[in-house]
Amino acid sequence: MTEEKSPHVLSGTFLSEEDNFRRTLLSVSDAVYLTDKERQIIFWNKACEIITGYSASEVLGRRCSDNILNHVDMEGRPLCNSDLCPLYQSITTGISSSKPMVLMALRKDKSRLAVEVSVAPLFDGEGNIEGGVEVFRDITEKQQLSEKKAQFLSSISHELKGPITIIQGFLELILSGSTGETNTLQNDFLTSAYKEGQRFQKILDDLSDLARFESTEFSFTFEPVDISELLMALNERNIGEATRKGLKIEMKVEEGIFVLGDWNRLYQAFYNIVSNAIKYTEKGRVFLSAKKLKDTVLIEIEDTGIGISDKDLPMIFEMFYRVDSEVGKKVGGTGIGLSIVEKIIQRHHGFIEVRSEPGIGSKFIIRLPILADN
Ligand code: ADP
């Protein structure tokens, strides 16, 4: 198939380079389309045609935001004509999505479907951004299954919360001395049981949070969030624990940067990252910074802690994944925190990445789109 004859291809340096590569892209089972910098579609493969109902000749040369896919997020917010469009963000920042995002799309026949979307910028030979690529797949069935899983997780954690709250209540009562004297050994055993109960409660809280984030019915409350205010509040909450460990928390935060976000959820995400930074750092400092970078705010949380090896780095956002380390065993944890962080950042159309060196420290980098008139 030559480039001129193919109805799937319009133009583009990237596409004219490798004929075989283009042919492969055309027939892969995932929907793949490419755009130029203005998001005008220059390539539309067969899976795009099957999933959306639009043929290549109908869409080539049109902007993808021009009533074609009509992506909306799980809160029902339209993305295509806003700065929140993942492809637009990727083209403007030059960053690929770290994991697929779950969005809704509209078919030509106006039916809605759930899609998993990944985006990346396209570069020319000199490293300049010349467009973007979006890969998506129909996950309607997978989504229905994950809804069922979320409901199951949610009811299990709800059922378990009741008994453990009662057990903790009785333990508290005995430990307070109001039911009579306990000897030192009994006291030690009861205190250990109470602490384990607290750990169990924390796991149940994390599980029910996870279940809620998996569910499309769980919506966030979006409002303008002042990033410096949020990081200050976080600092106040963490300073005590850091000081106890002899760590310094330093901050360099630009004021007046707003994002459209859910304050409580963003707070929860950054709290998880900062409390990990403190948890996994024995000496030195934790450094929080935030600055405006084009249409995004760049937030970095850096520590001088134990670091994470290259082998573990790709896994740490996986649910229940914990690095096998002495410090990790000592401080304890569930391996759920960072998977919640990732879900929250994705629901805010942001990106998160980590750079780390064992023995030197880690840096968590988060990019969030800033509020349009900010
Ligand atoms: P956990 O409850 O185990 O802390 P998380 O999901 O928050 O679970 O983190 C997953 C794993 O990533 C942790 O067990 C730890 O090994 C690693 N990790 C996270 N943050 C850091 C950090 N700042 N420094 C070193 N390791 C970290």
Side-chain angles (χ1 to χ4, degrees):
M1 192 191 300
T2 65
E3 187 174 311
E4 297 78 52
K5 281 181 192 155
S6 166
H8 295 267
V9 177
L10 203 64
S11 65
T13 337
F14 176 78
L15 292 167
S16 54
E17 271 167 11
E18 281 289 345
D19 225 38
N20 281 340
F21 186 52
R22 195 171 58 220
R23 268 199 289 271
T24 311
L25 267 192
L26 205 58
S27 54
V28 288
S29 60
D30 281 349
V32 182
Y33 75 90
L34 274 63
T35 72
D36 64 11
K37 270 173 95 168
E38 270 65 54
R39 281 179 286 162
Q40 263 188 19
I41 299 171
I42 55 172
F43 176 89
W44 186 257
N45 79 351
K46 287 175 185 151
C48 281
E49 294 188 330
I50 296 166
I51 295 178
T52 66
Y54 286 109
S55 67
S57 49
E58 281 176 287
V59 298
L60 286 176
R62 281 172 63 189
R63 294 186 76 210
C64 56
S65 52
D66 176 20
N67 279 333
I68 295 177
L69 285 167
N70 286 301
H71 283 323
V72 295
D73 66 14
M74 289 334 221
E75 274 66 47
R77 289 183 299 173
L79 304 178
C80 292
N81 279 307
S82 79
D83 295 351
L84 297 175
C85 161
L87 191 62
Y88 169 79
Q89 279 181 37
S90 194
I91 293 172
T92 47
T93 61
I95 301 164
S96 316
S97 49
S98 56
K99 282 234 173 134
M101 294 156 254
V102 177
L103 303 175
M104 301 300 285
L106 202 63
R107 291 194 186 90
K108 189 180 174 186
D109 65 10
K110 304 287 177 229
S111 59
R112 278 245 170 251
L113 75 158
V115 283
E116 211 165 57
V117 173
S118 300
V119 289
L122 289 177
F123 296 99
D124 64 14
E126 267 95 57
N128 302 312
I129 298 172
E130 67 165 354
V133 54
E134 176 171 322
V135 180
F136 63 93
R137 60 169 61 155
D138 180 354
I139 53 150
T140 311
E141 273 179 35
K142 189 175 154 196
Q143 196 63 27
Q144 283 162 353
L145 210 69
S146 122
E147 284 287 332
K148 283 197 183 127
K149 194 178 87 189
Q151 277 162 12
F152 175 70
L153 262 184
S154 164
S155 59
I156 285 278
S157 49
H158 183 76
E159 288 302 318
L160 291 174
K161 265 183 197 169
I164 188 69
T165 311
I166 295 171
I167 296 171
Q168 290 294 84
F170 283 132
L171 287 174
E172 257 174 49
L173 212 62
I174 302 170
L175 281 168
S176 72
S178 54
T179 55
E181 286 248 328
T182 49
N183 65 35
T184 317
L185 191 62
Q186 285 169 331
N187 211 58
D188 286 352
F189 285 173
L190 290 168
T191 306
S192 298
Y194 184 70
K195 278 193 184 144
E196 287 306 307
Q198 278 182 317
R199 215 165 74 82
F200 190 65
Q201 281 177 314
K202 166 86 175 73
I203 296 174
L204 290 182
D205 284 345
D206 283 352
L207 274 181
S208 59
D209 268 350
L210 255 190
R212 283 194 293 170
F213 293 137
E214 293 268 327
S215 160
T216 47
E217 280 160 27
F218 177 64
S219 61
F220 286 32
T221 311
F222 286 96
E223 56 186 1
V225 172
D226 184 334
I227 288 295
S228 69
E229 231 175 66
L230 187 123
L231 295 180
M232 296 287 184
L234 204 65
N235 187 25
E236 267 172 37
R237 174 150 173 215
N238 281 298
I239 201 112
E241 179 56 19
T243 315
R244 255 193 300 286
K245 286 190 79 174
L247 303 173
K248 271 196 213 146
I249 298 195
E250 290 167 10
M251 289 186 81
K252 191 174 177 214
V253 175
E254 258 179 50
E255 286 185 9
I257 307 175
F258 285 81
V259 301
L260 192 62
D262 183 312
W263 169 281
N264 290 326
R265 294 301 162 201
L266 283 177
Y267 186 90
Q268 181 182 13
F270 288 113
Y271 177 76
N272 279 346
I273 301 173
V274 176
S275 59
N276 272 350
I278 297 171
K279 209 161 97 169
Y280 297 106
T281 302
E282 305 274 75
K283 60 177 192 303
R285 65 168 197 163
V286 173
F287 181 56
L288 267 72
S289 70
K291 65 177 176 203
K292 203 165 158 178
L293 211 68
K294 287 189 185 162
D295 300 333
T296 56
V297 51
L298 177 75
I299 302 158
E300 297 185 338
I301 294 138
E302 192 175 0
D303 64 56
T304 53
I306 59 170
I308 304 161
S309 71
D310 286 349
K311 171 177 80 66
D312 292 303
L313 216 46
M315 309 294 290
I316 60 167
F317 291 100
E318 298 293 324
M319 210 187 295
F320 305 121
Y321 191 82
R322 301 203 71 222
V323 178
D324 186 16
S325 71
E326 283 310 312
V327 176
K329 280 184 198 128
K330 201 170 86 189
V331 295
T334 58
I336 295 178
L338 285 182
S339 40
I340 292 179
V341 169
E342 191 179 46
K343 286 189 196 315
I344 295 175
I345 299 299
Q346 282 175 351
R347 289 285 275 265
H348 284 82
H349 307 289
F351 296 98
I352 178 161
E353 58 173 310
V354 190
R355 294 187 196 140
S356 189
E357 221 179 301
I360 307 286
S362 310
K363 191 198 267 191
F364 283 74
I365 304 161
I366 298 100
R367 290 176 174 84
L368 293 171
I370 57 174
L371 209 55
D373 56 355
N374 194 220

